[in-house]
Amino acid sequence: MWEKAEGDNSLMRITAGEYKGRNLVAPRDATIRPTSDKVRQAIFNLVEHHPQLKDFSLAGGRVIDLFAGTGALGLEALSRGASYCLFVDNSAEGRALIRQNIENLGLTGKTKIWRRDAAQLGRLDTLNPFGLGFLDPPYRQQLIEPALTSLRDGGWLVPAAVIAAEMDESETLAPVSGYGIIDHRCYGGTAVTLLRRTA
């Protein structure tokens, strides 16, 4: 999530759920590109209401937010009923923003923050796997495919886990073994691909 931001980042809010309307701390400059409130809402509308995800429920679910930036996607998931979120970000600035937002919402007990390369996660050995994942890497750096591979090979996902991957509208996502693409939509200059873990 390190890229020139589009529009004004000065005001970010949780869009629905328990913490609806609560402000999030935004980046002070354009080095981190948060997911806009509008795109975040669109992502959750897809995740929660897509006809191919009728058997999926966010309630009580475990979420992993890769390239987490401000943590807005994972925090939105917690507001909407998820029970736990692991935020992964390599940037010290990003982790500081995530920590501040977690503390402001009183969600310390439902979260962890890790400094790790999302494209090289390694084996999952100390946590339970996750049912929902968000991938919002820097645009146009071909990081989504290696991150998906890392999640798959490291055992980070439960069977039939759902992934929402965000990218520039000009990018295309090559098929990755072990995942099926459910949907792909564009919102302004941002594209969102919805995937599901397969056998």
Side-chain angles (χ1 to χ4, degrees):
M1 261 176 116
W2 311 271
E3 180 152 320
K4 181 173 175 53
E6 294 180 10
D8 181 10
N9 291 334
S10 61
L11 187 60
M12 296 171 55
R13 290 192 174 121
I14 299 290
T15 65
E18 183 177 354
Y19 304 101
K20 181 179 179 179
R22 293 283 296 274
N23 289 338
L24 297 172
V25 180
R28 287 175 296 198
D29 58 33
T31 57
I32 292 178
R33 174 192 44 77
T35 301
S36 71
D37 291 1
K38 179 181 176 181
V39 173
R40 208 171 344 116
Q41 261 189 312
I43 288 170
F44 279 91
N45 284 340
L46 280 176
V47 168
E48 295 184 296
H49 304 296
H50 198 282
Q52 292 187 46
L53 296 180
K54 288 181 179 177
D55 62 332
F56 175 81
S57 175
L58 187 56
R62 292 172 56 78
V63 178
I64 184 167
D65 188 352
L66 301 181
F67 313 98
T70 63
L73 285 164
L75 293 167
E76 185 83 36
L78 291 169
S79 181
R80 292 170 181 249
S83 63
Y84 177 89
C85 184
L86 173 64
F87 299 90
V88 180
D89 200 294
N90 245 350
S91 153
E93 181 188 357
R95 293 193 306 277
L97 287 169
I98 296 164
R99 190 169 295 106
Q100 193 171 352
N101 282 322
I102 286 170
E103 290 173 355
N104 288 350
L105 294 174
L107 288 169
T108 305
K110 294 183 174 183
T111 58
K112 276 193 186 338
I113 305 170
W114 280 7
R115 176 186 179 183
R116 191 171 290 195
D117 182 349
Q120 299 182 36
L121 289 170
R123 292 293 305 173
L124 176 64
D125 51 12
T126 60
L127 299 172
N128 293 322
F130 299 89
L132 175 63
F134 298 111
L135 278 68
D136 186 12
Y139 285 174
R140 297 177 296 275
Q141 292 189 28
Q142 291 76 52
L143 291 170
I144 291 177
E145 290 95 334
L148 288 169
T149 301
S150 183
L151 285 167
R152 180 198 67 205
D153 293 350
W156 290 81
L157 302 174
V158 300
V162 175
I163 301 288
E166 190 177 330
M167 66 201 80
D168 185 81
E169 65 173 341
S170 66
E171 295 182 80
T172 57
L173 179 60
V176 177
S177 177
Y179 297 92
I181 293 178
I182 294 173
D183 210 324
H184 179 82
R185 302 190 186 193
C186 290
Y187 307 94
T190 297
V192 174
T193 299
L194 199 63
L195 305 101
R196 197 150 203 197
R197 183 79 173 92
T198 59

